């Protein structure tokens, strides 16, 4: 394996930045990223990317990072995935979800269990929120045998953009190997749960969101419960805002999610909570239409765990692959030489079960966590 | 984008570019004009994508109007309240 680690990979541009560094760290392959916004008026890495690199440095040991003066070229030589207790101030240009998505991918493969305190923006309009990841990614991790008391994701303080001020606690156990999965039956949706949150605005906002979201979803299913979460004082961050996260749970334990967040203070038109609730409910219906055993946000996490599983066949039925996932599959091929078998499953016209699905099959790389301490 | 995916005859080809035993198309990618100038347009769109926002969210298909009753009907059986297949029991 040492031989493989010697060859590096080279990419262009700042897109897919996190997948490249994450896969580099897991595979041990060096990576060089060139032409980072080289044609931009303001070339080079942004603050949030620098913040992400610092986080990667904190959870590893002996990682070598070189950046040229303009920040347009990054060289990354991964060290040992150490884990342990870390605290990180996440740059508020991106929400904590941006950083957390990478930690979810890395955490099971660390030397010591990760216990991360992340500070910054908990919910924004770009990235999956902490609430969504808690409701969808955590149950997904359990399917791969990652469970027990060690697995936790908790919103301690909420922080909306642009000010942030939120705090999240994430802890995850380590595993020597992760088990293969057979996720071929998405099941039928038996209930819908959600969280309507509001900070530094009237607590009534959350109730208005709940009523409008229910008015649409009630056409399908009666079992709907949307929690209202109004954090106050020191737990409400630095900026006002509100939003909604919806999760549909099926009989086979699949979780499909959708979310919407109000415009940040001083940016764009104010959003009515009624509109937000209705539009978020429609986004959930869209996600149900796509379907599959994970929602579009968690496709890459699932595929990564399948890739790194024991040398056995894993199968998963997904909705249409997102552009991000397609790029992730290409990167998995680059770093791990693993290609998935993909079979499209057409839905019959009158089945009323949404759009076409795709069955993804792969044999795991038999990745073993050599750095995990033996007890 | 959804349509692009369902229209692709081979999803594997869409993702990985080439399928084993189907690589004859590779040579045509670099089109040259007058043997001197390369067509630079595809390069440009690639550059834009290369510097795009790194985000895992998947924008919804705007063609779906969830106010329409037919759209609502299209997912009715994804719920426990919908029709069940013969062999599965509630």
């Amino acid at each position: 394996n040492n031989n493989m680690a010697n060859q590096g990979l080279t990419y262009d541009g700042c897109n897919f930045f996190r997948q490249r560094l994450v896969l580099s760290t897991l595979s041990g392959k060096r990576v060089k990223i060139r032409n980072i916004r080289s044609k931009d008026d303001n070339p080079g890495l942004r603050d949030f990317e620098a913040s992400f690199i610092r986080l990667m440095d904190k959870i590893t040991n002996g990682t070598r990072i070189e950046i040229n003066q303009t920040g347009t070229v990054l060289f990354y030589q991964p060290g040992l995935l150490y884990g342990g207790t870390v605290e990180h101030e996440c740059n508020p240009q991106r929400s904590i979800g941006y950083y957390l998505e990478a930690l979810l991918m890395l955490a099971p493969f660390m030397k010591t269990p990760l216990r991360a305190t992340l500070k910054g923006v908990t919910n924004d309009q770009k990235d999956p929120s902490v609430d969504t990841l808690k409701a969808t990614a955590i149950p997904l991790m359990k399917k791969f045998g990652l469970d027990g008391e060690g697995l936790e994701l908790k919103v301690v303080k909420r922080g909306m953009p642009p000010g942030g001020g939120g705090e999240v606690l994430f802890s995850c156990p380590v595993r020597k190997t992760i088990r293969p999965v057979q996720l071929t039956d998405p099941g039928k949706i038996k209930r819908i749960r959600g969280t309507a949150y509001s900070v530094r605005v009237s607590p009534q906002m959350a109730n208005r969101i709940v009523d409008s979201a229910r008015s649409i979803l009630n056409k399908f299913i009666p079992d709907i419960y949307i929690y209202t979460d109004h954090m106050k004082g020191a737990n409400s961050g630095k900026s006002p805002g509100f939003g909604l996260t919806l999760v549909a749970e099926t009989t086979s334990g699949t979780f499909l999610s959708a979310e919407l967040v109000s415009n940040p203070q001083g940016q764009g038109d104010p959003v009515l909570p009624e509109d937000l609730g209705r539009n978020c409910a429609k986004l959930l219906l869209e996600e149900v239409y796509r379907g599959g055993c994970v929602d579009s946000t968690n496709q890459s996490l699932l595929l990564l765990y399948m890739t790194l599983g024991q040398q056995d066949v894993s199968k998963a039925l997904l909705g249409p692959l997102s552009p991000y996932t397609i790029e992730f599959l290409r990167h998995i091929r680059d770093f791990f030489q693993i290609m998935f078998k993909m079979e499209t499953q057409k839905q019959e016209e009158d089945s009323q079960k949404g759009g076409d699905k795709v069955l993804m099959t792969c044999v795991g790389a038999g990745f073993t966590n050599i750095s995990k301490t033996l007890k | 984008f959804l349509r692009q995916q369902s229209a692709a005859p081979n999803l594997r080809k869409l993702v990985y570019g080439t399928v084993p035993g189907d690589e004859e198309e590779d040579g045509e990618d670099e089109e040259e004009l007058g043997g001197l100038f390369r067509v630079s347009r595809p390069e440009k769109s690639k550059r834009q994508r290369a510097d795009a926002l790194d985000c895992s969210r998947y924008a919804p298909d705007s063609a779906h109007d969830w106010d329409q009753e037919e759209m609502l009907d299209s997912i009715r059986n994804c719920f426990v309240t919908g029709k069940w297949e013969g062999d599965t029991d509630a």
Side-chain angles (χ1 to χ4, degrees), chain B residues 2 10 13-14 19 35-36 45 52-53 62 71 74-75 77-78 80 82-83 87:
Chain B
L2 266 174
N10 193 330
K13 192 165 171 181
L14 177 74
V19 183
L36 188 61
S45 68
L53 188 76
S62 51
M71 262 342 272
S74 73
I75 56 168
N77 285 344
C78 296
V80 283
K83 264 196 279 230
D87 56 335

Side-chain angles (χ1 to χ4, degrees), chain A residues 121-235:
Chain A
V121 174
T122 51
N123 307 73
D124 78 354
Q125 294 176 318
K126 287 190 209 116
D127 294 293
S129 71
V130 181
D131 302 82
T132 298
L133 293 174
K134 180 180 176 171
T136 57
I138 298 293
L140 174 63
M141 292 170 87
K142 287 182 181 163
K143 291 194 174 160
F144 285 89
L146 294 156
D147 46 16
E149 275 180 32
L151 187 66
E152 195 189 12
L153 178 56
K154 196 174 155 196
V155 185
V156 183
K157 295 175 189 171
R158 209 173 274 288
M160 305 295 291
E167 187 177 321
V168 171
L169 187 75
F170 171 58
S171 59
C172 180
V174 289
R175 288 287 179 270
K176 194 156 186 293
T177 54
I178 49 177
R179 69 163 90 115
V181 291
Q182 309 290 326
L183 303 174
T184 50
D185 175 24
K188 285 176 187 291
I189 294 162
K190 60 178 178 183
R191 59 175 168 236
I192 293 174
R193 292 291 177 264
T195 310
Y197 51 86
S198 54
V199 289
R200 301 192 173 267
V201 293
S202 156
Q204 201 50 42
M205 291 292 203
N207 296 333
R208 288 163 66 186
I209 296 172
V210 173
D211 288 342
S212 59
R214 287 189 76 109
S215 71
I216 288 189
L217 299 172
N218 259 333
K219 292 174 193 162
F220 290 103
I221 197 159
D223 188 355
I224 302 172
Y225 192 84
I226 302 171
Y227 300 87
T228 52
D229 173 354
H230 183 73
M231 285 199 171
K232 284 187 206 141
N235 291 340

Side-chain angles (χ1 to χ4, degrees), chain A residues 30 93 111 165 245 277 343:
Chain A
R30 298 183 287 199
Q93 286 172 350
K111 183 175 167 72
T245 302
E343 295 157 284

